[in-house]
Amino acid sequence: SEGQLGPRLRRSEIDCAAMMALFLKGQRPEKPGCASASYPGRFVATALTLPSVASLLSASVDRGVIDQTGLSGAFDVDLEAVEIRPPGPFGPSYRPSDTKESIFTTLPQQLGLKLVTTEGTVEVLVVEAAERPAPSKP
């Protein structure tokens, strides 16, 4: 139904700031979090905001994706779609999907979200040149 999260989009209970504080103290949290990974046909994320998820999905649909859900907070995501084709190599947690369905079908089914094509202006930063800085003098 409208306004309901899909079965593969869950509010995250992970506090990324607290987890980062543990790392800075040299401690390891019991559960990993605050990360994302893409495999052929699958995108998984833990404790990411929807603007971050939208930005990461931009590469899969080959155009800018902007979050306009109005949902705040962090979410855990597990999305399967044929368009998700990241370059390897992949590590030991390799979790591909053999799905043949388009992200335009799976996003509403799995996450309760939809992609809507619109036209508009987007700000772009263009780097025309880059140089190494001069070495600093002692």
Side-chain angles (χ1 to χ4, degrees):
S1 72
E2 188 77 11
Q4 188 172 351
L5 300 181
R8 293 183 176 198
L9 179 67
R10 295 169 303 284
R11 288 205 175 269
S12 182
E13 300 299 318
I14 294 173
D15 180 345
C16 293
M19 191 170 289
M20 185 56 69
L22 283 177
F23 274 121
L24 293 174
K25 290 179 185 173
Q27 300 172 0
R28 293 184 61 85
E30 62 236 27
K31 285 200 256 179
C34 310
S36 67
S38 292
Y39 310 99
R42 174 172 291 199
F43 171 77
V44 292
T46 305
L48 283 189
T49 63
L50 289 182
S52 295
V53 171
S55 178
L56 291 167
L57 290 178
S58 291
S60 296
V61 294
D62 223 10
R63 61 189 95 165
V65 177
I66 299 168
D67 170 47
Q68 293 185 331
T69 64
L71 296 172
S72 61
F75 293 85
D76 297 338
V77 177
D78 186 348
L79 175 66
E80 294 180 67
V82 72
E83 289 88 352
I84 302 169
R85 294 281 167 226
F90 301 103
S93 64
Y94 185 63
R95 294 173 40 200
S97 169
D98 59 1
T99 185
K100 304 287 185 261
E101 292 194 68
S102 168
I103 197 168
F104 294 94
T105 301
T106 63
L107 202 66
Q109 290 173 348
Q110 297 173 12
L111 305 187
L113 305 174
K114 65 181 176 179
L115 288 172
V116 177
T117 301
T118 59
E119 290 186 17
T121 58
V122 177
E123 287 189 33
V124 178
L125 176 65
V126 177
V127 177
E128 293 183 352
E131 296 179 14
R132 289 191 178 273
S136 57
K137 296 182 178 159

